[in-house]
Amino acid sequence: MTHDSEKRVDFDAKAATQRAIDLVGESDFEAPRGSGPVFSSLKDVEESISVAREDGEPDEIVFNGAATEMTEIQARYRRGAVFAEGGQGILYKAEDGVLHRLVAVKMLRPELNWDEQARELFIQEAKVTAQLDHPGVIPIYSLNTDEEKRLFLAMKLVDGKTLKEYLHEIVLHYRVNGIKAYDESKSLRFRLNIFLDVCDAIEYAHSRNVMHCDLKPENIIVGRFHETYVMDWGIARLVKEPGYDPESWIPPKSISGTPRFLSPEAVNGEHSDQPAALYTLGLHQFVQVTLR
């Protein structure tokens, strides 16, 4: 014998959709002009979805680290305080003199300024991220230089913290006050919603033939209003290279990424595609669920 709340409820999605269509058909209201197609049957809905999928294939992302014409950073942005540093760049706040908003500016580290490969990767990161038009990818505003030929990338400034910082705070609170002092069920649901947002952004990137290659809690930003962004596409690459042949594929000379969040294929220098990214997402889910 089971409790009422545990009883299985069978839900026929197609029947429910058809019923909704029937109800719309019975309505006295007319659809406004320009509101899109009016469906008379479930078959119409399925055919419309099929056509949308066929016609909606996005263009492939262009990977290009070649130098391009850039305006000088001081012509538009007034520099503020540094708030983060990484292996490749320094992040600081700046004021947009035209639109009067605060932005984040990433500057290529001074010691890498004349490293041609580092410069190409920095420019490529800007171009790739700008082409990924998705709510889970940080918007890019401009690519700039200065009188010393340094490189700058202006982007949206998110009022929030990294996922690593967020998870660390939860663990700290649990250790100090005890887990029973908090609603862990609610916290877990919120963490899993963050995970789903990350999955959505990565799925979109894969649809554009792009692999992030360095997905880790430090590269995920959770905003003040629960928005989630996947950051740092600096070592992203194509999922499938043009003319890829497994028989003639040459392993990379070096391995890029964060060891703790690399797939076995990446660690072994093998060709990595969507399954490798799914493995990394599995590691993320483990961290977010277990807080370990």
Side-chain angles (χ1 to χ4, degrees), residues 26-259:
E26 296 168 4
S27 171
D28 294 330
F29 297 100
E30 292 185 3
R33 292 183 180 180
S35 62
V38 176
F39 304 114
S40 58
S41 69
L42 181 59
K43 183 179 179 182
D44 289 345
V45 176
E46 292 174 339
E47 288 179 353
S48 180
I49 292 173
S50 177
V51 170
R53 284 176 175 164
E54 291 174 1
D55 294 344
E57 286 296 324
D59 295 332
E60 191 169 293
I61 297 293
V62 177
F63 279 71
N64 184 353
T68 184
E69 186 176 345
M70 294 174 276
T71 59
E72 292 197 353
I73 188 77
Q74 61 270 22
R76 178 161 181 173
Y77 301 105
R78 186 163 60 251
R79 182 168 180 168
V82 172
F83 65 89
E85 292 191 34
Q88 302 295 316
I90 299 172
L91 282 162
Y92 63 85
K93 295 179 181 179
E95 183 182 356
D96 184 335
V98 176
L99 298 176
H100 303 290
R101 61 181 173 183
L102 286 176
V103 302
V105 173
K106 181 178 180 179
M107 178 181 73
L108 183 63
R109 298 191 72 91
E111 61 268 27
L112 299 174
N113 193 49
W114 302 111
D115 183 322
E116 288 301 321
Q117 183 179 16
R119 291 179 68 88
E120 287 182 11
L121 286 174
F122 191 92
I123 294 172
Q124 178 175 285
E125 176 188 359
K127 293 180 179 179
V128 169
T129 310
Q131 293 174 79
L132 291 172
D133 185 13
H134 186 274
V137 179
I138 206 76
I140 300 298
Y141 298 147
S142 64
L143 181 62
N144 303 93
T145 186
D146 65 2
E147 65 277 0
E148 298 178 30
K149 305 302 180 185
R150 292 180 296 184
L151 293 176
F152 302 84
L153 174 59
M155 66 190 88
K156 179 176 180 177
L157 177 64
V158 180
D159 182 8
K161 59 189 69 177
T162 68
L163 179 60
K164 181 179 180 179
E165 293 169 334
Y166 174 72
L167 296 178
H168 178 74
E169 286 185 4
I170 293 176
V171 171
L172 184 62
H173 287 314
Y174 285 172
R175 285 178 177 172
V176 172
N177 302 314
I179 192 170
K180 292 184 178 180
Y182 301 92
D183 187 344
E184 165 57 10
S185 177
K186 180 179 179 181
S187 176
L188 177 60
R189 287 196 300 273
F190 179 65
R191 300 197 305 268
L192 288 176
N193 278 329
I194 294 172
F195 175 71
L196 291 175
D197 287 343
V198 172
C199 289
D200 191 49
I202 296 302
E203 181 185 20
Y204 166 76
H206 289 175
S207 77
R208 305 292 304 276
N209 197 27
V210 173
M211 278 191 71
H212 187 281
C213 297
D214 195 21
L215 189 64
K216 56 185 177 181
E218 295 95 315
N219 287 338
I220 297 168
I221 300 291
V222 181
R224 182 180 174 188
F225 299 101
H226 302 172
E227 66 272 37
T228 303
Y229 295 100
V230 177
M231 308 282 291
D232 201 348
W233 297 78
I235 61 172
R237 63 168 178 79
L238 292 173
V239 178
K240 296 179 181 178
E241 300 280 351
Y244 165 71
D245 181 5
E247 298 298 326
S248 59
W249 184 75
I250 302 174
K253 295 181 180 179
S254 61
I255 299 172
S256 299
T258 303

